[in-house]
Structure formats: structure tokens, C-alpha cells
Amino acid sequence: MIFSGIETGSFYALAALGIIIIFRTSITTNFAQGVIGMFNAFMATEFYYRFGYSTVESIILAIVTSIIMGILIDILIIRHARKVNPVSKQIITLGLIMIIMGITPMIFGTTNRDLKRIIPSGQIDFGSLHISYNSILNIILVFIIMFVLFIVLQYTKWGLAVRVTASNEYTARLMGVPTKMVTMIIWALAASLSTLASIMLAPSNSVEVNMMGGVQVNALIACVLGGFQTFYGPVIAAYIIGISSNLIVFYISDTWGEPILYIFILIFILIKPNGLIGKKLVKKV
Amino acid sequence: MSKKAIVVNKELSNDIVLQVDNLSIAFGGLKAVDNLSFNIKKNEIFGLIGPNGAGKTTVFNCITQFYRPNNGEVYFRTKRDKVVNLVGRPVYRIIRLGLVRTFQNVELIRELSVLDNLLVGAHIKYKTGFISHMLKTKKARKEELDNRKKAIEVLKYLGIDHLKDFLAAGLSYGILKRVELGRALMSDPNLLILDEPAAGLNETETEQLAETIRKIRDDFNSSILLVEHDMRLVMNICDRICAISFGKLLAIGTPKEIQSNKNVQEAYLGKDD
Amino acid sequence: MAIISKKIIKDIFFKTSNILPKPYVNYLLFGIILVILPYIVNGSTLLTIGSVIVYAIAALGLNLLLGYSGLISLGTAGFMGLSSYFASYLTKDLNFPFFASLLISVFIPVILGLLVGLVSLRIEGYYLAIATLAVAEILRRIFEKFIAFTGGYVGKTADYPNILNVFMLDREGTYIILVIFLIVIMILTHNLIQSPTGRALLTMRGSDAAAQAMGIDILKYRLIAFALATLYASIAGVLYVHFNELTYPTIWNLGLSLNILAIIIIGGIRSISGTVLGAFVVYSFSDLILKEIPFIGEIPGLSNIIFGVLIIVIILFYPQGLIQIFKNILKSIFIRKDVKASE
């Protein structure tokens, strides 16, 4: 139970990390995070079925297209929205949802598709517990990605540039940080994180337009729960949400598990408004 | 609303409007205001001066509760002659007690006309709620009309009534400063806090401003606390001045006393570029 | 169109400039035009224009919220759906009269909205969008799974309203009710915007600091704006179910909330007439125009793409929306004519 919770949590964590790095550098909550992943999951199926690549190759190609997509979104839209207020930026990402949700059936048709697992079969048995190799791979892969990203953010020149841009874009630009480059990389990174999440999620569901709706909502709620002030808060919160929603769904109610969890989180936020790892910022007047 | 008692057993002598006691606030490790105390008397024009970064605006923000001070109390004699401690009250409650402020960088609403901007200052005067506003009840209409009349009077008083229908967006800085002053006056304050009222004004405008501030003190029967860089203005209109540096009190006294004070001179000359 | 005099057109589109002493006249005129519109254009468009009106009402509420307090709600569809189910349940299952059911059906979503707003708005403005998204998600699940109340995927039906047992309305009659609701709401919204509450909302949006210094309780006014947005959405939901005689879960998805957002961005933020124009553009465009174009009209998702692109383009380059372009064009026409006439 907990194990599959960790797996679900890692999908949320990928999406949440994508949302939080965009929030910190572009000051907007990216509602289009999920649909970007959804679109590229379709791309992966396209590579697999139409062009006959192997599963792993298709996934890698889909990640490449997601990176291109992220870069395009930044160059075509986000870059021009620098002076637009945060609310309008949010609306822009909502517009992106409409566009991507419109384009998807146009290119890929309206039928659901499926995506194979990277490791098609095999499982470890712990008594009554079965854990597939693929789940283990997913969990480990996400851990590695998180680990590498945090090392990069914390200890490299690029990581510093991102953190500086996150804390004050204007000053960062004055100091010679290539903020344009930073936001571009961030959008590409966020797009590929979300794509990875959707590809990992795809085998257990199916590839369809609304596949990432739940992940998107849970990732945003993870950001709320974890607090928008740190990079790691939302990630931790994402795992908490993944694990506890699996537990509630299993022990309390299949249908009402998630709503119950949301209500718990709502109550938590009432008590601790800035989230698990929240710092209150003093606004300068 | 606040946890502290509404009426504090603090005794303020009858002629004092504002009493700041041991005010301190730190950001990170930096003490922006350090154990500062001063008081303002009725109908007094009181200046707060100090070199750049001395923490003057921070003091304002602590008085008006935009910042929560770490330490110290701010006692205020309200319009109804009650003494209250401002610390811990929500920011939006402060104006109801009779204390109103202007901002260093004019904070007017660009999409609203000059007249409407003044009416925003009368917000606390409205007794009707949004439902009466939607239905345009008789009471709501009368209230609006009364406040409108008053706003036009204030605009006339400040000599800008001819601009009442202009949007704030297109007006010059000097005019905007005056509109903001007008907005503050709409609430009938007994203490008016002005954050650099002369910043960005030319010499004639500054002279007019000095005149206006004095007039306001007399006509509105209000005390005035101002932060200002223009020393001539400060020395010209203030009854008493408080000089601070790095959040610490240097001296309080009449303009003459301040000018001749050694500490003040040092702080300015030492820091002067 | 030639029957409608230039003066009337002028009055309708320049009402915000307060040329007329009573701007209500414009709204009433617009209402009359709406009532006769289905008959002069084409009988079969009644359903489309009715939907336009329903969505325009919801959009007017969202415009108050977004335009005047700078907050986004993604729960519009959820709240609309909730009230539609209540209206259906109360009138059909419990035989409540129309107005009593309307009151209750609207009251419950508003209370729910207030609770959500109270929690999320205490923190930061952008939390509202996330909270309403989560609430919409929960509501959608309720619509699908709480079958005793919602009828599950099949949905629930309702009849045309029966007003005080005197007027047993048909589709045309219900359409007139929709128009009346729209016009009354437009007038009430107009009043609100011009009032101290409207100024307080604008002040909040322009400067948090100034608003608080002037005694405006930001949380209170944000809640008022959000409560009104929920109220309008709920009214729209009730009208929807009575006009379409049916409600089911898939209508009330995120796509609808986004379309309503598109209405106000495309039509014109902070503009009542812009909102209505936007509703016409978004909801009659795909029904009346796009479907008529051969080949292109058949492509799934095309209207979504167009509106998505329009949202982004308008935000980046023309933040006042189509209504401003419209006004500018009209102005240039009339001003040129006026100059010629005076020569």
C-alpha cells in the first residue's frame, strides 16, 4: 500500500517540482503543466506505434519533444509576458491548456491509446505484497532525478543562477545572470518532468486527454501543502499526498478518498497557512 | 479584533496625540528601528529626519501596523479621545481610529478619476453595504452624494477641483501628491502621516506645500507627522523634530536645537556623500 | 439591421461614457433586442442564444472577481453544476416552486464558496485558483458518484419553470426569463461597480497598501467578490437546467470554467458590455459560424485552439479585449460622420 503510494507520490512530485520551479522563476502557477505531459505521452505512443521505435526509445524521443515544447512556449509566449501581472500569466497558462487540449485530438484523434511499461513484466513478492519491477524502476528513477536536480540547484553555477533568478529576477539580470536562458531551461525542464510523470502514469491508466487532470490538481495542492517558498517543500508534500491518498482510498473509501484528503489539507492550511515548510515574507511598502 | 485591550490604562497627558514607546523592529539580524521613543502633541507638526536608510519609513510602517514591531508600544489618542495601543491591530482598522497616511511613492488608483480617488479615502464613512450599493437604495445614494460634495470641497481646498474628472493615470507627480493628500483628508484624521510629501516637487510646489500643511493643521485641527528629505521644508514648518540614524534616536527638539545638535550634524556629515 | 437607428447603436455601445442620464435605458434596450433577436435571425438559434445568456451571467460574476479583485476561480463550472442539480432535485423530486428552489439552489453553492474563499484567501490571492480547482474536482466526483442525488452519468432533468402556478412557461417563455435575469444582473453589476464597493475592489487591485491604509478590509472585499462570482455562477446553473431541461456531469468540467474565463478575457475585462460580447463570440462562434464552414468546422477542438490563442494574444497585446476594439471602430465611424455633418 505504502509502496504504491510512493509510486503515485513520485508522479505528483515530478509535476509539483515542475510547477514550483516555474513559480519561482516566472512567478506564475503553471496550470498547463499536466496537459504538456499529456501531449507528450501521446507523442510517445506516436513514436511507438507509427514509427516503430522501442518503448525506451519512444520515451526518450517524447522527452526530447517535451523539451522543444517547453522552449517554444517560453520563446513564443512567456518571454513576452515579462511585464504582464502574475494573474494574467496564470490566465496565459490556462489559455495554453485550451490550445493543447484542442490540438491533441486534432493530431492524435479522439481514441484512447496505451503505452507499455519499460519493464513489461516481473514482480517481487513480499508475502501477499506484489511490487512490479517497473514500479521499482519508476520510484528509483524519480529519486535519482530529484537527487540530481537538487544537487544541481544547490551546488552548481546554473543552480545558483536559477536560485538568484527565483529570488529577484530584476537584480539577477543586472548582475549578469542570463535570466532569459534560465527561464527557458526551466520551462524545458518543467515540461520534461511533467512528461516523465505522464509516461510513468500511462501504463496503469491510458493515454487520453484528461489523463493528467488528477496529477495536475494534486501537484498544485502539493505546492500549497509544501509551501511555495522552497523547492523541496512541494516535493515532500507530493509524497505525503501520494501515500496518504492511497491509504485513505484503501482503508476508507474508494470514491471519496481524495475529497477526504483535500478536506484534511484544507484544515491543515487553516492552521498553518504557509504550508509545511513555509516562511512568511515581509512585504515592503 | 485585537487581543490587546481597546482602552489601555496608559495615561497620556491631554495634549499628546501619539506616544511611541521603545519601538524596535529587526529584519533578519539588522535592527531597522532600535528602542525609539517620541511623542507628538495636539496640533503639532512633527518631523522625522535622518540620513538615507535611517529607518524613517520603517517607523511609519510600524506605527500604521504595516509592520509588526518586535518590541514597544504605540499609543494613540483617537478621534473620540480614547487612548489605544495600535500595536497588533489590523492595518485597515487604523484609519478608523483617526490616523491616516500617505505613501512615499504615490499609491493612487490609475483607473479612477481624481474625485473617485478621494472617495476611496472616505471609505470608512460609508455605512451601507454592497447589497444596498447594488440596489442603489435611497440611503446609499444620499451617502454617495454627501461624500461627493465633501470630496469636491477638499479638492477646492487643495486648489485642484478643476481636475476632478481626470483619470489619475495622466496627471503630473505634483498633482498626484496633492490628490493623495486630499484622499487622506477625506477621513477627517486627527493625525496625518506624510511620507516624503515634497519628494519630486519643484521649489514653488514645495513652498505651496508648506503653506498647505500649515493650513491643514489649523483647518482640520489635526497633528501632522512627516518624513522629509528637504531640510528647508522641515526646518521651516516643523514645531519639533526627531532625528534618527540607523534606527536609533539622535535628538528631539525644535528645528533650532536640532540644527545645532552635534550628534545630528555628525550623522549627516559623516554619512553625507 | 437598418431598422435600428444609429442613435440606438450609439447609445448601446457608449453607455459607459454616461452620455445618458440613466444608463439603465441602454440595458433595457439591449434586453428588448435580445428578446426579439431569435425571431429576426432564425428560429433555431434560440437554444444557442439562450446558452450565451446563461454563460454571460456566469462570466459577469467571474469578471467582477477577476477584473476587480484580480483573483481567478476555476470552480465556475463546479458551482454552476451544483446549483443545477439542486434546482433539478428540488423542483422535480421535492416539487418545490421555482423561486423557492432558486433561492436554495443558489444559497448552498454561495455558502460553500464562502468557506473555500475564507480558507484560501487568508493566505495569498493565487491560492483561490488552486482551491477552486480542487473543489471543482470534488464536485465533479459528487456529480458522477452520488447517484441518489445526481443521477450519476445519466444526469437529471428539470422542467421549464412554472412561475407561481400562473405562468407555465415553454422554451420561449423561459428564454424571456433568461433575458430578464441577464438584464437585471447587468444593471445590478453596473450599480455595484460605480459604488464605494466597486471603488474598494479597484483600489485593492491597484494597491494592497493603499487599500488597507484607507480602511478597506482586503479579505472582506475579496470574499464579497468571490461570493458574487459564485452567486452569479449558481444563478446561471439554475437557469441552465431549466432552459435545457437536463444536467449531467460532463458539462461541468474544467473546460467550461476555462471557456467562461475566455469570455471575459476576449470580450473585455472590467466591462459589462464586453462580457456579454465575449459570451456571444465564444458561444455563438462555434455553434453558428464555425460549424457552417465546410471541412474546417468538422475539426475537433478547433474552437478551443482559437480561443486559447485569442486569450494569450489579447493578454499580451490588447488587454482591454474586443469591446475596446469594437468601441474604437464605432467611435471612429461616428466621429467622422459627426464631423461631416457639422461641416
Side-chain angles (χ1 to χ4, degrees):
Chain A
M1 236 343 91
I2 290 178
F3 208 76
S4 74
I6 295 175
E7 194 185 1
T8 322
S10 40
F11 306 150
Y12 299 161
L14 284 173
L17 186 63
I19 289 170
I20 196 72
I21 52 177
I22 285 180
F23 179 83
R24 300 297 304 280
T25 49
S26 294
I27 326 291
T28 187
T29 44
N30 180 15
F31 290 103
Q33 184 77 3
V35 289
I36 293 173
M38 177 274 293
F39 181 86
N40 288 295
F42 267 104
M43 286 302 282
T45 61
E46 195 77 353
F47 287 122
Y48 184 83
Y49 289 108
R50 180 171 299 185
F51 300 105
Y53 290 102
S54 72
T55 308
V56 176
E57 285 166 343
S58 303
I59 290 170
I60 291 169
L61 283 171
I63 302 250
V64 173
T65 57
S66 75
I67 289 172
I68 296 170
M69 195 170 169
I71 290 174
L72 280 178
I73 290 172
D74 180 58
I75 291 179
L76 294 178
I77 301 164
I78 304 302
R79 192 165 288 183
H80 305 282
R82 211 175 274 260
K83 294 215 173 88
V84 168
N85 66 42
V87 179
S88 299
K89 275 190 193 168
Q90 279 188 326
I91 298 170
I92 286 176
T93 68
L94 293 169
L96 268 176
I97 296 185
M98 295 180 82
I99 296 174
I100 295 171
M101 283 197 135
I103 288 177
T104 308
M106 205 184 262
I107 300 178
F108 306 110
T110 44
T111 42
N112 294 0
R113 301 183 176 190
D114 51 72
L115 197 61
K116 299 273 183 298
R117 297 171 180 210
I118 298 175
I119 305 170
S121 62
Q123 59 186 35
I124 303 175
D125 300 315
F126 296 107
S128 63
L129 217 68
H130 313 291
I131 301 158
S132 72
Y133 288 132
N134 198 61
S135 299
I136 296 173
L137 177 75
N138 282 347
I139 291 167
I140 293 172
L141 208 60
V142 173
F143 270 127
I144 293 172
I145 291 168
M146 295 284 160
F147 186 71
V148 171
L149 274 179
F150 281 111
I151 296 288
V152 169
L153 269 176
Q154 214 59 45
Y155 299 107
T156 67
K157 207 179 97 186
W158 273 104
L160 185 68
V162 171
R163 282 183 292 136
V164 170
T165 311
S167 78
N168 189 334
E169 201 209 324
Y170 181 71
T171 322
R173 202 161 56 235
L174 288 182
M175 304 293 284
V177 174
T179 55
K180 267 189 185 172
M181 196 67 181
V182 168
T183 45
M184 194 174 84
I185 290 173
I186 289 299
W187 276 86
L189 179 66
S192 59
L193 287 175
S194 166
T195 300
L196 210 59
S198 68
I199 285 171
M200 288 180 175
L201 183 73
S204 49
N205 293 27
S206 59
V207 179
E208 46 104 13
V209 180
N210 296 313
M211 65 182 285
M212 290 292 278
V215 175
Q216 174 75 37
V217 173
N218 281 306
L220 282 166
I221 289 175
C223 292
V224 172
L225 182 60
F228 279 89
Q229 292 85 12
T230 63
F231 288 110
Y232 59 90
V235 171
I236 295 170
Y239 281 105
I240 293 175
I241 290 175
I243 294 166
S244 44
S245 83
N246 266 36
L247 288 177
I248 294 176
V249 164
F250 187 76
Y251 287 109
I252 300 175
S253 163
D254 192 10
T255 316
W256 307 110
E258 266 182 358
I260 292 169
L261 180 65
Y262 293 164
I263 289 163
F264 276 128
I265 292 173
L266 221 61
I267 293 167
F268 178 82
I269 292 297
L270 259 181
I271 302 161
K272 220 169 167 308
N274 290 298
L276 286 171
I277 303 147
K279 305 167 192 163
K280 189 151 176 71
L281 300 172
V282 181
K283 275 187 198 158
K284 179 118 179 96
V285 183
Chain B
M1 289 306 263
S2 104
K3 281 162 227 144
K4 309 218 173 192
I6 304 279
V7 182
V8 188
N9 45 11
K10 173 90 179 174
E11 287 290 324
L12 283 191
S13 72
N14 275 333
D15 61 334
I16 289 177
V17 174
L18 186 83
Q19 167 94 41
V20 173
D21 276 348
N22 309 319
L23 192 72
S24 296
I25 189 171
F27 298 115
L30 188 76
K31 282 202 165 175
V33 178
D34 193 357
N35 212 16
L36 184 69
S37 302
F38 63 87
N39 62 43
I40 299 173
K41 298 195 177 94
K42 270 187 186 164
N43 292 332
E44 187 175 40
I45 300 180
F46 189 91
L48 186 63
I49 63 168
N52 272 333
K56 298 168 305 240
T57 297
T58 309
V59 173
F60 275 20
N61 284 333
C62 285
I63 293 173
T64 50
Q65 298 307 307
F66 276 89
Y67 297 160
R68 285 284 129 88
N70 302 128
N71 222 328
E73 315 296 339
V74 178
Y75 297 103
F76 177 65
R77 184 180 298 285
T78 68
K79 278 193 252 192
R80 289 182 188 158
D81 214 25
K82 277 181 183 167
V83 176
V84 298
N85 187 353
L86 298 181
V87 174
R89 277 163 204 273
V91 183
Y92 67 89
R93 292 251 155 192
I94 302 298
I95 188 173
R96 281 176 199 271
L97 303 171
L99 193 164
V100 68
R101 68 175 288 180
T102 65
F103 292 88
Q104 201 170 331
N105 316 304
V106 177
E107 299 264 355
L108 290 169
I109 306 309
R110 300 166 53 85
E111 298 94 336
L112 288 178
S113 69
V114 167
L115 185 69
D116 279 341
N117 264 299
L118 254 74
L119 288 171
V120 170
H123 183 81
I124 54 164
K125 303 266 164 180
Y126 287 91
K127 302 248 164 0
T128 50
F130 72 97
I131 294 172
S132 342
H133 294 160
M134 284 183 111
L135 300 172
K136 254 195 173 169
T137 57
K138 212 171 172 186
K139 208 176 154 204
R141 271 178 302 183
K142 185 178 178 301
E143 229 178 20
E144 180 76 359
L145 213 65
D146 291 348
N147 281 310
R148 217 161 257 268
K149 271 186 203 150
K150 187 176 169 194
I152 289 172
E153 268 170 40
V154 171
L155 285 173
K156 272 190 189 145
Y157 184 81
L158 296 170
I160 46 174
D161 56 317
H162 57 290
L163 298 172
K164 70 180 166 62
D165 292 324
F166 281 74
L167 288 187
L171 298 171
S172 76
Y173 197 69
I175 298 290
L176 290 180
K177 281 252 161 193
R178 239 186 283 181
V179 175
E180 210 193 19
L181 191 58
R183 182 177 71 181
L185 288 176
M186 286 298 288
S187 66
D188 298 319
N190 57 341
L191 174 61
L192 184 60
I193 298 189
L194 306 175
D195 200 348
E196 303 204 11
L201 301 190
N202 63 32
E203 214 159 299
T204 31
E205 280 174 331
T206 308
E207 268 164 36
Q208 282 174 351
L209 178 73
E211 207 45 51
T212 312
I213 290 176
R214 273 206 205 96
K215 259 178 71 186
I216 287 173
R217 185 252 316 259
D218 299 337
D219 297 343
F220 285 77
N221 193 20
S222 133
S223 313
I224 290 159
L225 165 61
L226 58 95
V227 155
E228 189 43 71
H229 274 297
D230 187 325
M231 278 307 137
R232 251 195 334 179
L233 177 75
V234 175
M235 296 301 166
N236 176 5
I237 62 170
C238 289
D239 300 311
R240 283 190 308 146
I241 293 168
C242 167
I244 61 173
S245 176
F246 294 109
K248 281 198 169 110
L249 180 73
L250 291 176
I252 298 180
T254 61
K256 265 199 185 146
E257 289 165 2
I258 292 292
Q259 271 168 319
S260 57
N261 185 294
K262 265 223 173 99
N263 288 338
V264 177
Q265 286 171 353
E266 241 169 55
Y268 270 89
L269 293 176
K271 279 289 286 181
D272 224 346
D273 40 339
Chain C
M1 287 306 275
I3 315 159
I4 305 165
S5 80
K6 236 185 296 170
K7 172 82 173 76
I8 295 174
I9 297 178
K10 208 171 167 180
D11 287 348
I12 291 166
F13 294 111
F14 292 111
K15 58 185 161 242
T16 43
S17 52
N18 286 331
I19 299 168
L20 282 175
K22 282 214 182 287
Y24 298 167
V25 175
N26 297 317
Y27 292 115
L28 293 176
L29 266 175
F30 178 64
I32 293 167
I33 292 173
L34 273 185
V35 169
I36 54 176
L37 196 58
Y39 301 99
I40 47 175
V41 186
N42 189 341
S44 68
T45 54
L46 189 74
L47 207 60
T48 303
I49 300 175
S51 315
V52 167
I53 291 173
V54 167
Y55 295 126
I57 290 173
L60 278 170
L62 191 64
N63 207 345
L64 268 180
L65 181 71
L66 177 61
Y68 288 86
S69 60
L71 300 168
I72 300 179
S73 161
L74 294 173
T76 319
F79 291 122
M80 282 177 81
L82 186 59
S83 70
S84 77
Y85 280 109
F86 266 103
S88 158
Y89 185 77
L90 290 172
T91 56
K92 262 285 212 254
D93 296 19
L94 302 181
N95 286 320
F96 270 56
F98 173 70
F99 281 112
S101 135
L102 174 76
L103 276 181
I104 300 170
S105 311
V106 161
F107 181 73
I108 289 163
V110 170
I111 294 298
L112 176 67
L114 277 176
L115 280 175
V116 174
L118 205 57
V119 177
S120 59
L121 289 175
R122 287 194 328 154
I123 316 162
E124 281 285 348
Y126 55 78
Y127 276 53
L128 184 70
I130 299 170
T132 48
L133 184 65
V135 168
E137 203 53 28
I138 295 175
L139 285 174
R140 208 170 47 87
R141 190 154 310 177
I142 291 174
F143 300 158
E144 285 170 4
K145 302 285 157 88
F146 191 24
I147 295 168
F149 175 65
T150 66
Y153 289 99
V154 184
K156 271 187 94 75
T157 58
D159 296 327
Y160 296 124
N162 164 5
I163 294 178
L164 307 172
N165 274 329
V166 181
F167 302 104
M168 309 290 228
L169 297 177
D170 55 1
R171 170 158 281 170
E172 279 77 16
T174 313
Y175 175 78
I176 291 172
I177 295 277
L178 299 190
V179 174
I180 292 171
F181 265 95
L182 176 68
I183 301 304
V184 169
I185 284 176
M186 283 171 86
I187 289 173
L188 293 182
T189 310
H190 175 95
N191 286 347
L192 187 78
I193 289 167
Q194 307 287 327
S195 78
T197 305
R199 284 195 298 263
L201 290 172
L202 262 182
T203 307
M204 251 165 57
R205 189 181 150 271
S207 162
D208 262 17
Q212 294 187 65
M214 293 306 126
I216 296 164
D217 179 353
I218 292 187
L219 179 62
K220 178 181 154 192
Y221 279 89
R222 280 180 164 174
L223 276 176
I224 288 177
F226 183 51
L228 285 173
T230 317
L231 174 72
Y232 287 17
S234 313
I235 292 174
V238 173
L239 296 178
Y240 179 96
V241 73
H242 284 297
F243 186 62
N244 291 284
E245 300 175 279
L246 185 64
T247 174
Y248 51 94
T250 44
I251 315 170
W252 314 115
N253 58 13
L254 180 65
L256 175 60
S257 297
L258 292 182
N259 273 336
I260 288 173
L261 186 73
I263 287 176
I264 59 180
I265 301 294
I266 292 171
I269 202 152
R270 283 189 292 290
S271 162
I272 293 172
S273 38
T275 306
V276 178
L277 175 70
F280 267 97
V281 171
V282 171
Y283 274 98
S284 60
F285 180 75
S286 52
D287 271 16
L288 297 184
I289 299 169
L290 208 58
K291 274 183 187 151
E292 301 299 315
I293 305 171
F295 305 117
I296 301 173
E298 300 299 314
I299 300 171
L302 183 65
S303 60
N304 260 340
I305 300 174
I306 293 172
F307 298 134
V309 171
L310 262 179
I311 285 183
I312 294 173
V313 168
I314 284 177
I315 283 192
L316 289 181
F317 305 108
Y318 221 96
Q320 303 296 319
L322 288 185
I323 192 73
Q324 195 60 39
I325 302 177
F326 212 56
K327 276 184 184 167
N328 288 347
I329 293 170
L330 282 173
K331 235 178 228 166
S332 67
I333 294 171
F334 284 114
I335 287 169
R336 211 172 294 151
K337 290 258 170 75
D338 290 349
V339 171
K340 267 183 197 160
S342 65
E343 272 169 4

